[in-house]
């Protein structure tokens, strides 16, 4: 973690609320999925938010995770360097985030690099991984590994086909959400400037 001093006042309250959103049960499910998805040579971390952060912080596991969702040879991150340099590790996290967005995770579900690197918002990291798992399960392209009950399927589009005759009939209908002018009249209304003519 970065060298930060203690927070006080409103900053402390905000940080406490962020930390309350972290779900230890979800952490366990995400660790199981990442290990299943990446293969057997990934070791599980000890339970706990700090251990989960340390496990993911160098970006290597995240890069392997996103690469495992693609066919061999089509991986978005070609080279995953093993390094202890902080800026290189943050670069790997950033590459994972870009690849996750390209894979189909919506922008609002993606955490910021500092959320993981400094441990500022590990709940946001969990949300991103949940969204990634849901997209992978929904795609159902054979690359998802793990229990299918771990994630929810995202809803798919429900396209409808209408004939030309049905479309023409629909143009003649006035929807009630547009309102109605039935019974409306101008009785009792005076035109603009009418009071000036009386003088």
């Amino acid at each position: 973690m970065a060298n930060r001093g203690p927070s006080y006042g409103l900053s402390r309250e905000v940080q406490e609320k962020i930390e309350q959103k972290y779900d230890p049960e979800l952490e366990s499910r995400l660790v199981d999925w990442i290990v299943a998805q990446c293969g057997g040579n990934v070791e599980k971390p000890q339970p706990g938010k700090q251990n989960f952060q340390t496990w993911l912080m160098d970006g290597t596991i995240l890069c392997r995770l996103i690469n495992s969702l693609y066919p061999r040879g089509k991986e978005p991150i070609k080279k995953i360097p093993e390094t202890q340099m902080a800026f290189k590790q943050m670069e790997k996290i950033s590459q994972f985030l870009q690849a996750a967005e390209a894979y189909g995770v919506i922008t609002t579900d993606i955490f910021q690099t500092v959320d993981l690197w400094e441990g500022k918002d590990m709940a946001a990291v969990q949300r991103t991984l949940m969204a990634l798992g849901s997209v992978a399960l929904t795609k159902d392209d054979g690359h998802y590994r793990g229990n299918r009950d771990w994630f929810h399927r995202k809803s798919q589009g429900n396209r409808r086909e209408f004939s030309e005759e049905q479309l023409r009939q629909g143009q003649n209908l006035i929807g009630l959400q547009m309102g109605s002018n039935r019974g409306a009249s101008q009785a009792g209304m005076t035109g603009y400037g009418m009071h000036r003519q009386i003088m």
Side-chain angles (χ1 to χ4, degrees):
M1 269 177 72
N3 234 348
R4 288 192 321 262
S7 55
Y8 298 99
L10 184 61
S11 297
R12 183 183 192 122
E13 288 178 31
V14 169
Q15 190 60 39
E16 285 173 356
K17 283 186 178 183
I18 289 172
E19 288 174 8
Q20 287 173 358
K21 292 180 182 179
Y22 186 81
D23 185 354
E25 291 176 18
L26 179 57
E27 170 198 310
S28 174
R29 186 174 1 144
L30 290 170
V31 167
D32 289 342
W33 175 57
I34 292 169
V35 169
Q37 188 68 41
C38 291
N41 59 351
V42 175
E43 290 185 28
K44 287 185 177 184
Q46 291 295 317
K49 181 168 56 170
Q50 186 73 38
N51 294 327
F52 186 61
Q53 178 205 358
T54 304
W55 188 56
L56 297 175
M57 196 169 84
D58 74 345
T60 303
I61 290 174
L62 293 174
C63 290
R64 288 181 59 190
L65 174 65
I66 195 71
N67 279 350
S68 70
L69 296 172
Y70 285 87
R72 191 169 297 280
K74 304 257 184 192
E75 296 93 348
I77 303 171
K78 302 298 180 202
K79 188 175 182 189
I80 307 171
E82 294 287 335
T83 179
Q84 296 301 318
M85 290 188 285
F87 74 95
K88 285 288 190 187
Q89 292 177 351
M90 291 175 80
E91 189 176 289
K92 285 193 283 188
I93 295 170
S94 185
Q95 286 178 324
F96 162 77
L97 295 174
Q98 290 171 352
E101 190 170 0
Y103 188 72
V105 178
I106 58 175
T107 308
T108 54
D109 284 340
I110 292 186
F111 67 88
Q112 300 294 312
T113 303
V114 293
D115 292 339
L116 173 58
W117 180 255
E118 294 182 2
K120 286 189 174 202
D121 191 356
M122 290 303 292
V125 175
Q126 287 184 323
R127 280 192 305 275
T128 300
L129 293 172
M130 279 297 292
L132 181 63
S134 293
V135 171
L137 182 64
T138 304
K139 282 191 176 190
D140 201 20
D141 56 5
H143 297 292
Y144 175 85
R145 293 190 274 292
N147 188 335
R148 295 192 168 278
D149 295 332
W150 285 340
F151 303 103
H152 299 289
R153 285 186 180 272
K154 295 214 177 259
S155 61
Q156 301 292 319
N158 187 5
R159 292 193 49 83
R160 293 175 173 87
E161 300 293 331
F162 296 104
S163 67
E164 288 296 322
E165 182 182 337
Q166 288 173 318
L167 291 173
R168 271 194 305 278
Q169 287 174 349
Q171 290 174 345
N172 297 332
L173 292 175
I174 297 176
L176 291 179
Q177 70 265 26
M178 294 179 198
S180 171
N181 63 355
R182 188 168 293 156
S185 74
Q186 291 184 334
M189 294 181 68
T190 58
Y192 177 72
M194 190 66 105
H195 67 281
R196 292 185 187 154
Q197 294 174 358
I198 296 173
M199 295 178 169

